[in-house]
Amino acid sequence: MGSAIVIGTGVIGAATALALARAGWIVTSVDRNAMAGHGSTSASSGVIRMHYSTREGTALSWEGQHHWADWAGYLGLPDGTALAPFRKVGCLVMKHASNGDLRRNMEHSEALGIPFEVWEPETIRKRLAQPDLRCFWPPRRPDHGAFGMPTGGNIAGGVFWPDAGYVSDPALAAQNLLAAAAARGAQIVRGEVTGILRDTRVRGLHLADGRELRADVVVNVGGPASSRLNRMAGVAAGMAVTTRPQRMETAYLPGPPDFDMARDGIVVSDADIGCYAKPDVGGGVSVGTEGPACDTPDWIEGDTTERDTVGEQAEVQAMRYAQRIPTVPLPRRMAGAVGIYDVTEDWLPIYDRSDLPGFYMACGTSGNQFKNAPVAGRIMAALIAHCEGGGDHDRTPLAFTLPYTGNTIDLGHFSRLRQANPASSFSVLG
């Protein structure tokens, strides 16, 4: 093995640094933020779920769940280290015509041995806080004249994945990973990347303060900065799928009265109202958008934003959620989080090499890959070893066996050369 620079200390960058360090690489992690996880990871909802649109995505998420369930064992940090807790509360997904009544998701789960339960409306009513199960499709914004008006029919049921849940402190999860990488010798450098050193292959990078860092391999895990970094490396033209930064808002609401959200709340994905919701340890609930047609994407030119407080979009999500849970309090001043996502055209990630030898990418991961971070790190380490050892991943994609579950996935699924995957949900659901 040689030396590797990992750009980014978000949850996936930190996981990649750990996997490379464990594989024997001399690792340097570089980030402009003061602490690991203080970029887009800090705004993640931290949901751990298994309902993905593709077989590979489902297998990856099931493998990821096993890492979170064995977080202390996977990290190997000293006893007494504060660890990001995984709360296994389960995830309910409402059946809906737009998701094919979840038939494909259930098929993937059956094939991969993932437990799930089919819930009738009566069970949903028992497990949620006095839900209104009338249908409101299509999702609308509050300024629509028919907003809040039922459109006929009722939710016919849902599918519940009991092993799902959420990580209550996503930034701490990234810090755990980076601490484990540091224990294996990884060095951490703070600085803004302003250039990629290259000739016939990558040689390292420039930092804004004038420093140069040299390495045999550079891995772009820059989150919303990934497209800028790819342009610096001169590799963007060789990609069939690309990444782009998008500003996202999440609303924080108090929990419904007479319902203990911290104890009894579950993760809910609800295509009928275009929202997902997760409980918070403090007893509240976080509500995000699933990207329905009425929510115009908030694309931004750079990879940061001065609009760092929530606004209209968070209010829209809160009001749509209140259609399903009418007793939820809607505060006069909305609280929430703003994140900058890094997304591809099909919302599936790129875990791949590039056209520049030695320059690798773990990009387009925002919104739906937090849960897969530990596995993504292992994938990148295996892919780098394969390509640096002479393997032609473009011609013959690497097959990767997932260590906890034993399932094998085709890493060509995450190639930069793929066409947009028609099986994708083309949304944050992946």
Side-chain angles (χ1 to χ4, degrees):
M1 300 300 174
S3 56
I5 295 172
V6 179
I7 305 174
T9 60
V11 70
I12 293 179
T16 301
L18 173 57
L20 287 170
R22 284 177 168 171
W25 291 84
I26 300 170
V27 176
T28 301
S29 288
V30 178
D31 201 300
R32 64 190 177 190
N33 292 307
M35 292 188 68
H38 278 200
S40 56
T41 294
S42 64
S44 172
S45 294
V47 171
I48 310 300
R49 61 175 172 87
M50 279 68 74
H51 62 285
Y52 274 76
S53 56
T54 66
R55 186 262 182 198
E56 283 77 11
T58 306
L60 198 62
S61 63
W62 181 226
E63 177 71 16
Q65 191 275 351
H66 285 70
H67 284 73
W68 295 107
D70 184 32
W71 194 232
Y74 162 63
L75 292 170
L77 291 170
D79 292 344
T81 302
L83 300 180
F86 167 46
R87 302 182 182 278
K88 191 168 73 170
V89 299
C91 176
L92 168 67
V93 186
M94 301 294 192
K95 287 185 174 180
H96 196 266
S98 65
N99 59 31
D101 289 328
L102 301 170
R103 288 185 295 271
R104 185 169 56 184
N105 304 85
M106 289 188 282
E107 289 171 0
H108 291 324
S109 288
E110 286 178 342
L112 295 165
I114 304 173
F116 66 90
E117 304 166 8
V118 177
W119 282 10
E120 299 300 323
E122 293 74 16
T123 304
I124 296 175
R125 289 190 177 93
K126 291 177 182 177
R127 292 298 303 272
L128 300 187
Q130 303 178 33
D132 182 345
L133 294 186
R134 293 178 296 177
C135 290
F136 297 94
W137 177 267
R140 298 184 173 112
R141 299 178 74 83
D143 58 3
H144 191 286
F147 179 80
M149 301 296 293
T151 51
N154 296 281
I155 297 295
V159 179
F160 181 73
W161 279 269
D163 292 307
Y166 67 99
V167 172
S168 58
D169 193 336
L172 180 58
Q175 292 156 22
N176 291 161
L177 289 160
L178 199 60
R184 289 296 187 112
Q187 301 295 309
I188 302 163
V189 172
R190 299 301 170 196
E192 178 85 30
V193 178
T194 56
I196 304 296
L197 298 171
R198 56 194 170 103
D199 43 44
T200 57
R201 62 172 291 123
V202 75
R203 299 298 179 186
L205 49 81
H206 288 285
L207 297 181
D209 60 9
R211 284 177 292 172
E212 287 188 355
L213 302 179
R214 299 273 176 169
D216 302 308
V217 159
V218 173
V219 191
N220 177 5
V221 202
S226 71
S227 57
R228 176 170 59 87
L229 294 165
N230 285 336
R231 290 193 297 271
M232 284 182 189
V235 303
M239 301 168 64
V241 287
T242 57
T243 63
R244 187 178 182 186
Q246 181 180 351
R247 183 182 179 277
M248 301 289 285
E249 296 184 4
T250 303
Y252 294 165
L253 303 175
D258 302 319
F259 185 86
D260 192 333
M261 185 64 72
R263 185 191 67 193
D264 300 326
I266 60 177
V267 179
V268 179
S269 173
D270 193 339
D272 182 67
I273 57 172
C275 289
Y276 69 88
K278 60 168 279 288
D280 286 324
V281 290
V285 59
S286 298
V287 183
T289 180
E290 293 189 347
C294 64
D295 289 353
T296 303
D298 189 359
W299 302 113
I300 61 175
E301 291 301 318
D303 47 60
T304 61
T305 179
E306 295 181 355
R307 294 181 294 128
D308 57 359
T309 57
V310 297
E312 179 187 3
Q313 184 57 42
E315 295 176 357
V316 167
Q317 290 154 202
M319 294 180 71
R320 284 209 297 261
Y321 179 69
Q323 293 174 122
R324 184 69 66 224
I325 309 294
T327 60
V328 69
L330 294 176
R332 296 181 67 179
R333 176 170 292 183
M334 188 63 59
V338 173
I340 308 300
Y341 281 11
D342 176 40
V343 300
T344 62
E345 290 87 346
D346 58 6
W347 282 83
L348 303 182
I350 300 168
Y351 299 132
D352 201 3
R353 54 157 292 182
S354 74
D355 289 352
L356 176 64
F359 188 82
Y360 295 86
M361 302 176 288
C363 302
T365 59
S366 296
N368 61 46
Q369 291 295 295
F370 174 91
K371 60 197 66 59
N372 298 333
V375 202
R378 288 180 141 163
I379 284 173
M380 293 307 298
L383 179 66
I384 291 166
H386 176 70
C387 294
E388 293 301 301
D392 189 343
H393 180 61
D394 289 347
R395 187 180 298 273
T396 307
L398 179 64
F400 183 76
T401 299
L402 301 166
Y404 278 89
T405 61
N407 295 312
T408 298
I409 57 175
D410 175 5
L411 296 188
H413 180 78
F414 308 108
S415 170
R416 74 197 186 285
L417 303 177
R418 70 177 187 266
Q419 298 301 310
N421 193 322
S424 171
S425 67
F426 289 88
S427 76
V428 70
L429 295 176

